[in-house]
Amino acid sequence: MIRVVLIGSGNVAVHLAKALEKTESIRLVQYFSRTDRNKHYFSENIPHTKDMVSLVEADVYLIAIRDEAIEEVASQISDRKGLVLHTSGSISLKSLRSAKRYGVLYPVQTFSKDRELDWKKIPLALEASSPDAMALLRELASSLSDRVYEIDSVRRKKLHLSAVFANNFSNHMFALAEELCQENQLDFELLKPLISETGKKVISIPPEEAQTGPARRHDYTVLEEQANELNRDKKVIYEMLSQSISSRYPKNET
Amino acid sequence: MIRVVLIGSGNVAVHLAKALEKTESIRLVQYFSRTDRNKHYFSENIPHTKDMVSLVEADVYLIAIRDEAIEEVASQISDRKGLVLHTSGSISLKSLRSAKRYGVLYPVQTFSKDRELDWKKIPLALEASSPDAMALLRELASSLSDRVYEIDSVRRKKLHLSAVFANNFSNHMFALAEELCQENQLDFELLKPLISETGKKVISIPPEEAQTGPARRHDYTVLEEQANELNRDKKVIYEMLSQSISSRYPKNET
């Protein structure tokens, strides 16, 4: 039984709490959050504290808070014997070096409070300060997910950066598409089957191959016409991305 | 029974052929393709011709070819009594005006030959030259899909433009993410659950709300660090899209 204290109450913390609670070999003994704001997302069985000095003893202190605060919060629990972990893709392992034993458990996923997720399928990128820390981290991670990888800070940053393109930027394209629909009194529902298929297709067909549309076809008539229908912000994005797509495909490939 | 001649053998034509063949109230009586290249994608039961003058009589001539060739091909069958349709999002209805009766059936979806699709769920945007043409078009469309909309050329162009953002550009983000993975010896499989969730999430949560990541958080430390890890092409895209995301969210919202 691994006893875990969770620090944080944002999207990642809420999802972690649910997953940890459901896992037999883990006991979530407490969570820390300065406010009651997201209290309703946590089970009432999990003791809540607003005070860092009241953290109970545990095998693992799992810090799931915004990046900028990680180092400071870790330093506040540096005297604890338990393994101190953060969950960030972009913060290096050494930001936790004030702790005795530390590591990283980065879930490669996007978390919204109202979405259910299957943790067994979420890739977890692990890094630890020592073989002994890694052993415990690996035990914890393997009980959450079937997809556990050891990835160091340098490559984890690259992975996080790839995830920004794969999720943040693609989602922003959906947001711009929705905005365009609204501007033209078109129901965004019209695009949902397309978006859904776009996400599914990439699982079986490499995105380079799955690409369609005027930029891939070097169809300059349509490209120019479409660019001219857009306002400044979207127009610049349209032209830059079309150019980036076109440059990757030969002309006349059909 | 609506008798249909299909003109074209690209991604859209292949998918249309499969759907039309399966539909009871429709009979696909012939398809036209200048070459045998995609012949193996068509059922052997459908007669194939390489010669426009050999097109048989039909109720509908469904043109599913690249945009630039639509007007020219339509003019070659202008003496036919059947309804002449194209399937393009960006080509206006009047490109078919040489025909006696004409219309547009634009499926809002992305088509790859090796993906199965449920046509019943694909939104079809319709436009026709007359109420009589619309009646037949509507009958054809409704037998293919449960989601049929009347949308004129001007708004269809906007819809197509939105679809470019929703599909072509988001897919390009996946392609850039894959490239980044390759450059850093990271397995693209690591990102697939994230991509899958990204596409699913938008169905239930508006993309504006679903957005996460450093740009939404105005996390300039991470933004600058990440931009500096990228080469020229990706760096420019990273900065522009991060800027576009940040500008849509207030600072200190969480």
Side-chain angles (χ1 to χ4, degrees):
Chain A
M1 182 72 74
I2 307 175
R3 289 168 52 92
V4 177
V5 166
L6 181 64
I7 297 168
S9 62
N11 290 346
V12 178
V14 165
H15 275 272
L16 270 171
K18 278 186 197 156
L20 293 167
E21 240 200 315
K22 271 193 283 190
T23 306
E24 264 191 34
S25 56
I26 294 171
R27 191 144 155 241
L28 180 54
V29 293
Q30 189 185 36
Y31 81 97
F32 166 90
S33 172
R34 221 174 296 275
T35 71
D36 285 327
R37 196 160 43 123
N38 290 328
K39 198 162 179 146
H40 57 288
Y41 286 108
F42 289 84
S43 151
E44 285 178 9
N45 304 326
I46 315 167
H48 170 205
T49 180
K50 294 180 183 180
D51 186 0
M52 286 293 284
V53 299
S54 310
L55 293 190
V56 299
E57 284 305 313
D59 301 305
V60 172
Y61 295 87
L62 189 48
I63 304 175
I65 58 175
R66 68 203 155 78
D67 290 356
E68 313 86 83
I70 289 172
E71 189 156 359
E72 161 62 16
V73 163
S75 74
Q76 291 175 41
I77 51 172
S78 58
D79 58 331
R80 303 287 178 147
K81 270 182 296 186
L83 180 66
V84 175
L85 301 177
H86 78 62
T87 60
S88 164
S90 55
I91 298 295
S92 78
L93 177 68
K94 64 174 197 286
S95 68
L96 302 175
R97 65 184 171 279
S98 62
K100 295 187 204 323
R101 295 155 74 219
Y102 50 98
V104 179
L105 183 154
Y106 166 52
V108 189
Q109 190 47 282
T110 173
F111 297 95
S112 292
K113 292 193 192 71
D114 301 317
R115 292 276 308 164
E116 288 289 319
L117 286 170
D118 179 2
W119 272 82
K120 288 284 164 207
K121 290 180 184 159
I122 300 178
L124 301 178
L126 311 185
E127 188 180 11
S129 58
S130 69
D132 151 70
M134 179 55 90
L136 179 54
L137 173 54
R138 190 173 267 282
E139 193 187 334
L140 176 73
S142 306
S143 64
L144 286 172
S145 169
D146 295 331
R147 302 184 56 184
V148 164
Y149 301 81
E150 281 191 42
I151 294 179
D152 66 26
S153 290
V154 174
R155 288 173 69 237
R156 176 161 36 79
K157 275 193 189 192
K158 304 286 188 183
L159 178 57
H160 180 245
L161 184 48
S162 310
V164 166
F165 280 84
N167 168 261
N168 301 171
F169 290 171
S170 62
N171 183 72
H172 187 51
M173 295 304 117
F174 303 149
L176 295 178
E178 183 177 33
E179 208 173 77
L180 261 171
C181 281
Q182 283 165 353
E183 286 165 13
N184 295 287
Q185 291 80 52
L186 290 161
D187 189 346
F188 185 53
E189 289 297 321
L190 280 160
L191 293 181
K192 287 190 176 174
L194 174 64
I195 289 176
S196 182
E197 169 67 7
T198 304
K200 280 188 217 155
K201 204 178 190 176
V202 176
I203 307 308
S204 56
I205 303 178
E208 199 92 13
E209 224 173 279
Q211 191 61 264
T212 55
R216 172 168 188 166
R217 294 194 308 267
H218 297 261
D219 185 341
Y220 300 112
T221 317
V222 171
L223 288 173
E224 204 188 317
E225 246 187 56
Q226 293 199 326
N228 288 332
E229 291 190 41
L230 294 164
N231 63 16
R232 173 109 194 101
D233 178 31
K234 289 196 206 74
K235 185 176 183 176
V236 177
I237 291 172
Y238 181 93
E239 285 173 340
M240 165 162 293
L241 295 184
S242 293
Q243 166 57 32
S244 173
I245 294 171
S246 290
S247 71
R248 272 150 226 271
Y249 296 94
K251 278 190 194 181
N252 304 320
E253 58 162 3
T254 58
Chain B
M1 180 72 74
I2 307 175
R3 288 167 51 94
V4 177
V5 165
L6 180 64
I7 298 169
S9 62
N11 290 345
V12 178
V14 165
H15 275 271
L16 270 171
K18 279 184 195 156
L20 293 167
E21 242 200 313
K22 272 194 281 190
T23 307
E24 264 192 34
S25 56
I26 293 171
R27 192 147 154 239
L28 181 53
V29 292
Q30 189 184 38
Y31 81 98
F32 166 89
S33 172
R34 222 175 295 277
T35 70
D36 285 327
R37 198 161 41 125
N38 289 328
K39 198 162 180 143
H40 56 290
Y41 287 108
F42 290 83
S43 148
E44 285 178 10
N45 304 326
I46 315 167
H48 169 206
T49 180
K50 295 180 182 177
D51 187 359
M52 286 292 283
V53 300
S54 311
L55 293 190
V56 298
E57 285 304 313
D59 302 305
V60 172
Y61 295 87
L62 188 48
I63 305 176
I65 58 174
R66 67 203 158 76
D67 290 356
E68 312 86 85
I70 290 173
E71 189 156 359
E72 161 63 15
V73 163
S75 74
Q76 291 175 40
I77 51 173
S78 57
D79 57 331
R80 303 287 177 147
K81 270 182 295 188
L83 179 65
V84 175
L85 300 176
H86 78 61
T87 60
S88 165
S90 55
I91 298 295
S92 79
L93 177 68
K94 65 174 195 288
S95 69
L96 303 176
R97 65 185 172 279
S98 62
K100 295 187 202 327
R101 297 155 72 220
Y102 50 98
V104 179
L105 182 156
Y106 166 51
V108 189
Q109 189 47 284
T110 173
F111 298 94
S112 291
K113 292 191 192 73
D114 301 318
R115 293 274 308 163
E116 287 288 321
L117 286 170
D118 179 2
W119 272 82
K120 288 283 165 210
K121 292 181 183 157
I122 301 178
L124 301 180
L126 312 185
E127 189 181 12
S129 58
S130 68
D132 150 73
M134 180 56 89
L136 178 54
L137 173 53
R138 191 173 266 284
E139 193 187 333
L140 175 73
S142 306
S143 63
L144 286 173
S145 168
D146 296 332
R147 303 184 55 184
V148 165
Y149 302 80
E150 279 191 42
I151 294 178
D152 66 26
S153 291
V154 174
R155 288 173 69 237
R156 176 160 37 79
K157 274 193 191 192
K158 304 287 189 185
L159 178 57
H160 179 244
L161 184 48
S162 311
V164 166
F165 280 85
N167 167 261
N168 301 169
F169 290 171
S170 63
N171 183 73
H172 188 50
M173 296 303 119
F174 303 149
L176 294 178
E178 183 177 32
E179 207 173 77
L180 262 171
C181 282
Q182 283 164 353
E183 287 165 12
N184 295 287
Q185 290 81 50
L186 289 160
D187 190 345
F188 184 54
E189 289 297 321
L190 280 160
L191 293 181
K192 287 190 176 174
L194 173 65
I195 289 176
S196 182
E197 170 67 6
T198 304
K200 280 188 218 156
K201 204 178 191 175
V202 176
I203 306 309
S204 56
I205 303 177
E208 199 92 13
E209 224 174 278
Q211 191 61 266
T212 56
R216 172 169 187 165
R217 295 194 309 268
H218 296 262
D219 184 342
Y220 300 112
T221 317
V222 171
L223 287 174
E224 204 188 316
E225 246 187 58
Q226 292 199 328
N228 288 332
E229 292 189 41
L230 293 164
N231 63 17
R232 173 106 195 103
D233 178 31
K234 289 196 206 71
K235 185 175 183 176
V236 177
I237 290 172
Y238 180 93
E239 286 172 340
M240 164 162 295
L241 295 183
S242 294
Q243 167 56 32
S244 173
I245 293 171
S246 291
S247 72
R248 272 151 226 270
Y249 297 93
K251 277 189 193 184
N252 306 318
E253 56 164 358
T254 44

